[in-house]
Amino acid sequence: MLLDTPLCDFGWKAPNFTLKNANGDGFTMSDYLGDKGLVIMFICNHCPYVKAIAARLAEDTKQLMAEGINVLAVMSNDYQSLDADSPANMQHFAKQYGFTFPYLVDEDQQVGQQYGAVCTPDFFGLNHLGELQYRGRLDDARLQDDPNRVPELVNAMRLIAKTGKGPEQQHASMGCSIKWR
């Protein structure tokens, strides 16, 4: 089911969490907050919307991380019912697209629920205090690869890193609904 993300609730305090990647290594959100902020994104392997942006997502997140803005990805889908999103397939998907950020399994779906994640992809841009400042889309290209695209997530996170505040104008991300148990 196609869904759009809600509007940004500026200042909402993101809950801390610890999740593991497919190898069993633990990652704690607060360790990645950093002084320039953090992107937390809810993605999965099977969603056509995530697949359509995956190469651009890898490129944009590498750029953000090179600028000192941290990135975590969370997979909250019920992979017991949807094998395409299993941890083994997460590893394959991350390698296929060259993801360099931690890609974490939300085994009990608690983090996705705490964040109010609704679809994949769903982007949360946090300032250095862990306050939500961006809840929008990756770019304006949507499902196409457009060389003239506006990298909205990158631009928003640069603004957040510089000022602590996100842009007033934001466009909802859209994608497949998260597959809850």
Side-chain angles (χ1 to χ4, degrees):
M1 175 181 0
L2 176 64
L3 295 175
D4 290 335
T5 56
L7 296 175
C8 183
D9 182 9
F10 288 95
W12 173 79
K13 186 74 170 162
N16 196 22
F17 61 81
T18 300
L19 293 174
K20 295 179 180 177
N21 65 10
N23 294 326
D25 304 317
F27 295 83
T28 299
M29 180 274 262
S30 59
D31 292 344
Y32 284 81
L33 202 50
D35 61 351
K36 293 188 177 183
L38 169 66
V39 173
I40 298 172
M41 59 186 153
F42 292 83
I43 62 173
C44 69
N45 312 328
H46 85 278
C47 174
Y49 294 90
V50 175
K51 288 179 178 179
I53 67 163
R56 298 190 319 262
L57 179 65
E59 178 184 314
D60 288 359
T61 55
K62 282 178 190 168
Q63 189 172 2
L64 289 172
M65 291 185 295
E67 295 174 19
I69 299 166
N70 295 322
V71 177
L72 294 173
V74 177
M75 200 295 297
S76 290
N77 278 352
D78 176 13
Y79 69 84
Q80 302 295 339
S81 299
L82 194 60
D83 185 59
D85 290 332
S86 71
N89 285 323
M90 289 171 62
Q91 287 179 308
H92 174 72
F93 190 74
K95 184 177 181 180
Q96 177 183 357
Y97 288 103
F99 293 167
T100 56
F101 48 80
Y103 190 11
L104 310 174
V105 183
D106 185 10
E107 188 78 37
D108 62 7
Q109 302 182 308
Q110 184 177 1
V111 174
Q113 291 171 357
Q114 286 177 328
Y115 276 69
V118 296
C119 63
T120 57
D122 197 344
F123 298 98
F124 292 75
L126 309 176
N127 65 16
H128 70 285
L129 300 172
E131 299 167 339
L132 184 65
Q133 294 296 319
Y134 186 74
R135 181 112 184 244
R137 60 190 181 189
L138 179 70
D139 58 33
D140 66 344
R142 298 201 162 197
L143 299 178
Q144 289 87 34
D145 284 328
D146 181 352
N148 299 314
R149 71 187 178 102
V150 175
E152 295 173 11
L153 176 66
V154 169
N155 293 344
M157 291 309 300
R158 285 177 173 158
L159 180 65
I160 293 166
K162 184 177 180 180
T163 68
K165 301 286 183 193
E168 289 183 31
Q169 180 76 10
Q170 299 182 16
H171 302 279
S173 184
M174 66 177 201
C176 299
S177 63
I178 291 182
K179 308 309 182 245
W180 304 107
R181 284 189 187 98

